[in-house]
Amino acid sequence: MAAEDLPSEFDVVILGTGLAESVVAAACSRVGQRVLHLDRRSYYASNWASFTFNGLLTWIQQLQEESQPKEVPDWSSQLEEGEELIYLSSSDSSASICNLQVFCYTSEEDEEEQAPDTTEEETVRAADEDAVQEVSEAESAETREEEERRGADKGQAAQTAGEEPEAESHPHAAPSQSEPAKKKLSYAQLVKEGRRFNIDLVSKLMYSRGSLVDLLIKSNVSRYAEFKNVTRILTYRHGNVEQVPCSRADVFASRQLSVVEKRKLMRFLTSCVEETEEQTAYNGRPYLDFLCDQQLGENLQHFVLHSIAMVTADTPTEEGLASTRQFLRCLGRYGNTPFLFPVYGLGEIPQCFCRMCAVFGGIYCLRHSVHCLLVDKHTNRCKAVIDSRGQRISCSHFVAEASYVGAERKKVATPTRFLSRAVLITDSSVLASDSEQQVSVVTVPPIAAGCPAVKMVELCPSTMTCIPGTYLVHLTCQSIGSAYQDLSPLVTRMFRTVESHDKAETRPAVLWCLYFNMADGSGTEVEGHDLPSNVYVCSGPDGSLGHEHTIKQAEFIFHKILPDEEFCPPAPNPEDIIYDGETTAATGDTQEEEQSPQKQEEEETKEEEETKEEEETKEETKEEEHLQTEE
Amino acid sequence: MAIRELKVCLLGDTGVGKSSIVCRFVQDHFDHNISPTIGASFLTKTVPCGNELHKFLIWDTAGQERFHSLAPMYYRGSAAAVIVYDITKLDSFQTLKKWVKELKEHGPEDIVVAIAGNKNDLGDIREVPMKEAKEFAESIAAIFIETSARNAVNIEELFQKISKQIPPLENPEVESNESFKLTRQPAPSARRCC
């Protein structure tokens, strides 16, 4: 069965199963194109993939092994009159992933529980001092940097204390009564429960009114997945993790803000919604200047700049305002924050689009690649491809993820930028609260001049990405150095590792962590490469929090291929599919699942669409009341 | 009566009749030509079970099994899996073990497993003895039944058996797991005042 050949004729051949490629695949298949979708890896979603713990270990191992450039056979015998060959890149994802470093801070095997020893001088914190909280941890961290460097040897690290008290780092929490110490999960347990982890290579969130959510809903691909709200937005400053009030309810319930600040913040956020002349006067000038002139005060300025607009001090005002508006627009659609997260992780989303493609007849084959393109010399169009088994497959369009295209053919305007990533498995939340099931985004402004701003996402077990008793923490920033250089200072400050100060008991302990750099896809162009005109390049993940870049790119490619077709019209509801009863005479056992694309349900879909539109208008009028100021 | 949605995923080699089984169950219809796999995200049918209604959402492989490329998301949240083989093809029975392993690897831990030997209307060219299949099913604590989608034999029974094995709903207030679907209607916002 493994030897079954692929069909030899398609409309669109797509290489790579990342988000952009998968959306293009679904969109093409949906409107009746014959799609062949391949990936040379053994898993879906390319650099957007999510892995079980064991799957991630395998992924790391494969990348660390020196990958010999595979020899590509000479396929020139397959050339026909007037054709030439273009070879694709044969190396694996190694070019897009580098600087992998793994640290394990928990014991290899189960250990005996030790007696709790709770001396928590750090937990009692001034609750009413709002702005400046002197925390010894933050200061001393500065001087520890050097030790960290030396202490951080790769691999299994020695262990500090064998127990830890329940994290109680909430500024307003009462000093904790010494709770019974939790038993620290061992590495063996992480491996044993490994299949219950879903660890994403990419850390992004879905804006509730962003283009990905809109597309999921519009296409009905949303029915393949479930989502959770991001429940809170946190920020890290003065060595503390604080909650950022962002919805109206939050603002008024906030205990960090004074009454005056609450009024100011509401007035400011309300005024942001509409563009005013006052705002446009600041165009080109830093957003920080604009915020300063709004007399918000240091507290609110920090919240708006870093946690709501999520920009840096030198971002131009028009950009900062646009981000602020996007944030506000997305509030209250599903929950208290503007963000959603897919249950089982982001790696589900490309798979959902692939399923939609398959449901409409697209053919899927992992561990299968394309070696070269056959190009018509006269038209400069790709006529066919040669797959990794030497089969000639004709196609009218070819789409490939950037890593399949050799560097010599890519148009490189700027040197490839990288993202620094860290993935931590921790034992408690960075900010303890009543509920253990919080999904948090933490914005971290540069901890020192020249350091990157870091976006952190903390996932709880109910997102089905980690096991009970753990949290999965993703850190992402634009890379300056290696991921370890960029992110480990912050990890040491916010969490407890072997390098941390011994007064760090209140912070979450890191059980295991991984650092790596991934190529930033935001610089890759769809066209303009040294490639035939009907070949399109999809970029890998970019560093922004949302998915706007990728979805825009996928839609652009789709319209290049099919200028007159609708992008991802809704798939029919299961209940609406009508089977016509013209059964032909039964002739044996040919109940094959093989099919050719049919458009029979297209008409039903149209009707459905109309009613959906009505619903949508209704929906829109129902919202937008979350941002009005009180009185 | 409370309606419970139960996802059921179908597994098994290409051509054993997975789609035909669903089509027979949902539409009471059998057709060689029209492939219901096309355009159908999943098919649904509601059956009563005790004092509950079970709404089966039956997911087909959409052909992704053909080149061994089923996505892990296919298994997510399944209450039950039906692994289908063709009683006239020994190969399709021998790969059952592979599907069971795949399910153990990717499927939910408490999933109800059913094994269906399809095409039992073609008993005269049978290659898989019923006894052997039954013993295998017992060894993995799976439901076993032989079916014929063509003659509508044991199809209802297959799903009834699954229904009975579904554990009764626990406390409906499992608050920690309030995930939701995205629909055109805004989801009822679970906004809490802090």
Side-chain angles (χ1 to χ4, degrees), chain A residues 1-2 4-7 44 50 195-196 198 206 213 216-220 222-229 249-250 253 332-336 340 343-344 348 351-352 354-356 358-367 435 437 462 464 570-572 574-575 577 579-598 600-601 612 615-616 619 622-623 625-626, chain B residues 7 12-20 23 26-27 29-44 55 57-78 86 88-89 95 98-99 102-109 118-119 121-122 125 149-150 175-194:
Chain A
M1 190 161 94
E4 192 184 350
D5 273 343
L6 291 168
Y44 274 92
S50 70
R195 66 191 292 281
R196 296 167 73 187
N198 284 292
M206 299 161 63
V213 168
L216 284 167
I217 293 173
K218 178 189 177 211
S219 61
N220 277 341
S222 60
R223 61 163 67 109
Y224 297 143
E226 293 199 354
F227 300 85
K228 288 187 85 76
N229 284 310
D250 278 356
R333 184 176 195 183
Y334 296 104
N336 232 355
L340 297 174
V343 178
Y344 301 106
E348 297 292 285
Q351 296 179 49
C352 292
C354 290
R355 176 165 171 84
M356 181 58 84
V359 158
F360 283 90
I363 290 185
Y364 277 82
C365 201
L366 300 176
R367 301 169 214 89
S435 166
Q437 303 296 334
S462 72
M464 309 301 268
E575 288 83 1
I577 296 171
Y579 299 86
D580 55 36
E582 296 163 28
T583 317
T584 44
T587 52
D589 57 342
T590 48
Q591 302 136 305
E592 305 277 50
E593 265 104 337
E594 283 101 321
Q595 347 71 15
S596 62
Q598 293 171 25
Q600 54 179 80
E601 65 292 278
K612 291 283 149 67
E615 283 168 24
E616 218 148 347
E619 171 204 340
K622 270 177 82 176
E623 299 168 39
E625 29 95 63
H626 51 272
Chain B
K7 177 175 165 182
D13 290 354
T14 301
V16 296
K18 296 187 291 297
S19 300
S20 304
C23 199
V26 172
Q27 312 274 339
H29 180 69
F30 183 77
D31 192 330
H32 299 299
N33 288 344
I34 292 176
S35 169
T37 317
I38 287 289
S41 302
F42 46 82
L43 296 173
T44 65
K55 183 178 181 185
L57 313 180
I58 307 164
W59 287 44
D60 208 325
T61 54
Q64 282 178 304
E65 86 289 5
R66 193 165 148 202
F67 298 101
H68 312 280
S69 304
L70 266 182
M73 63 81 64
Y74 181 66
Y75 303 94
R76 304 290 190 210
S78 295
D86 177 348
T88 70
K89 295 220 165 56
T95 49
K98 189 202 78 183
W99 287 113
E102 181 116 352
L103 198 57
K104 288 263 182 306
E105 228 165 88
H106 299 292
E109 280 151 69
N118 195 32
K119 306 192 191 177
D121 50 299
L122 302 173
I125 51 167
R150 185 164 155 193
E175 212 203 313
S176 62
N177 242 331
E178 43 184 36
S179 54
F180 50 87
K181 296 255 183 216
L182 301 183
T183 57
R184 285 178 168 77
Q185 247 86 41
S189 74
R191 204 185 298 181
R192 266 175 304 163
C193 246
C194 32

Side-chain angles (χ1 to χ4, degrees), chain A residues 164-445:
Chain A
E164 67 259 22
E166 201 78 60
E168 272 289 353
S169 57
H170 195 289
H172 306 296
S176 65
Q177 292 92 38
S178 358
E179 289 174 47
K182 278 188 292 186
K183 200 172 168 185
K184 198 163 175 173
L185 284 166
S186 69
Y187 184 74
Q189 278 169 294
L190 295 181
V191 171
K192 189 169 157 245
E193 302 261 24
R195 66 191 292 281
R196 296 167 73 187
F197 283 94
N198 284 292
I199 303 170
D200 286 315
L201 295 184
V202 169
S203 177
K204 283 178 176 290
L205 295 173
M206 299 161 63
Y207 279 94
S208 69
R209 286 178 197 283
S211 44
L212 177 57
V213 168
D214 286 350
L215 180 63
L216 284 167
I217 293 173
K218 178 189 177 211
S219 61
N220 277 341
V221 172
S222 60
R223 61 163 67 109
Y224 297 143
E226 293 199 354
F227 300 85
K228 288 187 85 76
N229 284 310
V230 171
T231 54
R232 52 186 191 173
I233 296 183
L234 309 175
T235 189
Y236 183 71
R237 61 175 191 151
H238 308 307
N240 276 331
V241 177
E242 293 175 24
Q243 183 153 2
V244 177
C246 52
S247 71
R248 183 170 171 268
D250 278 356
V251 171
F252 286 99
S254 170
R255 278 175 291 182
Q256 296 142 275
L257 300 179
S258 68
V259 177
V260 178
E261 282 180 317
K262 287 178 186 181
R263 291 259 157 84
K264 269 189 189 168
L265 183 59
M266 284 321 297
R267 200 181 312 130
F268 173 76
L269 294 178
T270 312
S271 75
C272 273
V273 177
E274 300 272 306
E275 190 166 288
T276 63
E277 272 180 34
E278 193 209 344
Q279 293 166 6
T280 46
Y282 282 86
N283 281 3
R285 289 170 57 194
Y287 193 37
L288 188 60
D289 286 3
F290 174 74
L291 295 177
C292 284
D293 293 348
Q294 300 298 307
Q295 316 281 319
L296 291 171
E298 203 244 340
N299 237 354
L300 297 180
Q301 214 169 280
H302 177 99
F303 288 155
V304 174
L305 185 70
H306 297 292
S307 307
I308 292 181
M310 299 192 188
V311 296
T312 54
D314 50 0
T315 305
T317 300
E318 61 274 25
E319 229 173 87
L321 278 167
S323 310
T324 307
R325 280 188 205 114
Q326 190 192 14
F327 184 103
L328 297 174
R329 216 166 51 88
C330 294
L331 275 180
R333 184 176 195 183
Y334 296 104
N336 232 355
T337 74
F339 305 111
L340 297 174
F341 187 79
V343 178
Y344 301 106
L346 277 170
E348 297 292 285
I349 304 295
Q351 296 179 49
C352 292
F353 283 100
C354 290
R355 176 165 171 84
M356 181 58 84
C357 174
V359 158
F360 283 90
I363 290 185
Y364 277 82
C365 201
L366 300 176
R367 301 169 214 89
H368 203 112
S369 190
V370 165
H371 277 170
C372 51
L373 311 179
L374 297 170
V375 184
D376 186 311
K377 282 180 194 164
H378 302 292
T379 59
N380 188 34
R381 287 178 70 85
C382 172
K383 289 167 67 181
V385 300
I386 307 239
D387 75 0
S388 42
R389 289 206 205 130
Q391 189 187 344
R392 183 187 168 110
I393 298 167
S394 71
C395 63
S396 315
H397 298 276
F398 181 74
V399 180
E401 192 235 309
S403 72
Y404 290 87
V405 180
E408 73 284 356
R409 295 213 165 254
K410 269 188 261 189
K411 182 186 81 176
V412 271
T414 47
T416 313
R417 285 189 304 166
F418 279 86
L419 303 172
S420 285
R421 292 270 293 114
V423 177
L424 323 179
I425 299 172
T426 67
D427 70 341
S428 55
S429 173
V430 290
L431 183 59
S433 75
D434 304 342
S435 166
E436 288 188 343
Q437 303 296 334
Q438 299 271 12
V439 184
S440 318
V441 47
V442 191
T443 58
V444 186

